[in-house]
């Protein structure tokens, strides 16, 4: 058997070998492309997953930042409102205190003026009665006042000797209060005594 017959029976010819190599090369190229495409799809999927995760993280961070800003703004507004309310309350309280102080001062001034007027009128009345009262009557008034004081002193001493200590303490407080206002009382008493003596003297002259 020669080479030609052997090629026909089973051994491929160089042309056939070349064609087989080309077919194999094409198949390998297609396989490589297919594998590369599959690898590229996986890489793209990974990239998309990573991008999605990154976007989600960025969105979460953005939302957290916005929430923190809103919370801080709300706290600041609440603090400003609380401060404004406190300032208004303090201003109102100070205004009320000032008004109360002004009213109290006005009442004290009115009371002091009224007291001064009463004292002045009492003194004027006493002086007028004294001016219109004859000297003998004035002497009798003085004598009567002296007798009244002496009698009152004796009666007071008698009462003190027979009065329990608690009542004495109460009477002492009353006496101190009376001494604090004794000027108007004494002036009024003097006017009353002088008036009674004048009426008595006029009754006798008739």
């Amino acid at each position: 058997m020669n080479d030609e017959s052997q090629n026909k029976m089973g051994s491929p010819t160089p042309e056939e070998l070349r064609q087989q190599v080309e077919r194999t090369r094409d198949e390998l190229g297609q396989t490589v492309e297919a594998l590369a495409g599959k690898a590229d799809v996986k890489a793209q999927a990974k990239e998309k997953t990573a991008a999605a995760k990154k976007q989600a993280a960025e969105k979460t961070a953005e939302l957290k930042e916005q929430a923190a800003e809103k919370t801080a703004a709300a706290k600041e507004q609440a603090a400003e409102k609380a401060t404004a309310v406190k300032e208004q309350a303090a201003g109102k309280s100070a205004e009320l205190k000032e008004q109360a102080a002004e009213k109290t001062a006005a009442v004290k001034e009115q009371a002091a003026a009224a007291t001064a007027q009463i004292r002045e009128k009492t003194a004027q009345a006493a002086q007028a009665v004294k001016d219109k009262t004859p000297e003998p009557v004035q002497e009798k008034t003085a004598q009567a006042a002296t007798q009244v004081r002496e009698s009152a002193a004796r009666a007071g001493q008698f009462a003190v000797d027979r009065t329990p200590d608690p009542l004495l303490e109460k009477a002492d407080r009353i006496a101190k209060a009376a001494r604090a206002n004794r000027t108007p009382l004494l002036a009024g008493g003097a006017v009353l005594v002088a008036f009674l003596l004048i009426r008595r003297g006029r009754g006798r002259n008739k």
Side-chain angles (χ1 to χ4, degrees), residues 113-126:
T115 302
Q117 289 179 357
I118 292 172
R119 289 178 178 174
E120 185 178 355
K121 289 181 180 179
T122 303
Q124 290 175 356

Side-chain angles (χ1 to χ4, degrees), residues 28-196:
L28 288 173
Q30 292 176 359
T31 302
V32 170
E33 288 180 358
L35 292 173
K38 291 180 180 179
D40 187 56
V41 170
K42 290 182 179 179
Q44 290 178 358
K46 288 182 179 180
E47 289 179 358
K48 289 181 180 179
T49 302
K53 289 182 178 179
K54 184 178 180 181
Q55 289 179 354
E58 291 177 352
K59 191 66 176 179
T60 302
E62 183 180 356
L63 292 176
K64 286 183 179 180
E65 185 177 356
Q66 291 177 356
E69 290 177 354
K70 290 181 179 180
T71 302
K75 288 182 178 180
E76 185 177 357
Q77 290 178 355
E80 290 177 354
K81 288 182 179 179
T83 302
V85 170
K86 287 181 179 179
E87 290 178 354
Q88 291 177 355
K92 192 66 176 178
S93 178
E95 183 179 355
L96 292 175
K97 287 181 179 180
E98 185 177 357
Q99 291 177 356
E102 290 177 354
K103 289 182 180 179
T104 302
V107 170
K108 288 182 178 180
E109 289 179 359
Q110 292 176 358
T115 302
Q117 289 179 357
I118 292 172
R119 289 178 178 174
E120 185 178 355
K121 289 181 180 179
T122 303
Q124 290 175 356
Q127 187 62 39
V129 171
K130 184 177 179 181
D131 294 339
K132 293 181 180 180
T133 303
E135 291 184 0
V137 175
Q138 292 182 11
E139 293 177 358
K140 290 181 180 180
T141 302
Q143 293 175 0
T146 302
Q147 292 176 359
V148 168
R149 285 197 295 270
E150 291 176 354
S151 299
R154 288 194 296 272
Q157 187 62 41
F158 179 78
V160 168
D161 294 338
R162 295 179 176 274
T163 302
D165 291 339
L167 293 178
L168 287 176
E169 293 177 358
K170 186 174 182 180
D172 182 61
R173 290 196 297 269
I174 295 172
K176 289 180 179 178
R179 282 196 298 270
N181 297 318
R182 64 182 179 180
T183 300
L185 292 175
L186 291 175
V191 171
L192 179 60
V193 171
F195 178 72
L196 293 175

Side-chain angles (χ1 to χ4, degrees), residues 1-18:
M1 294 178 65
N2 53 17
D3 295 336
E4 185 177 354
S5 60
Q6 186 177 359
N7 290 337
K8 289 181 178 179
M9 289 182 64
S11 298
T13 63
E15 181 64 22
E16 289 176 348
L17 290 173
R18 185 180 63 80

Side-chain angles (χ1 to χ4, degrees), residues 11-30:
S11 298
T13 63
E15 181 64 22
E16 289 176 348
L17 290 173
R18 185 180 63 80
Q19 291 177 357
Q20 288 179 1
V21 168
E22 289 180 357
R23 284 196 300 271
T24 303
R25 184 182 296 170
D26 292 338
E27 291 176 357
L28 288 173
Q30 292 176 359

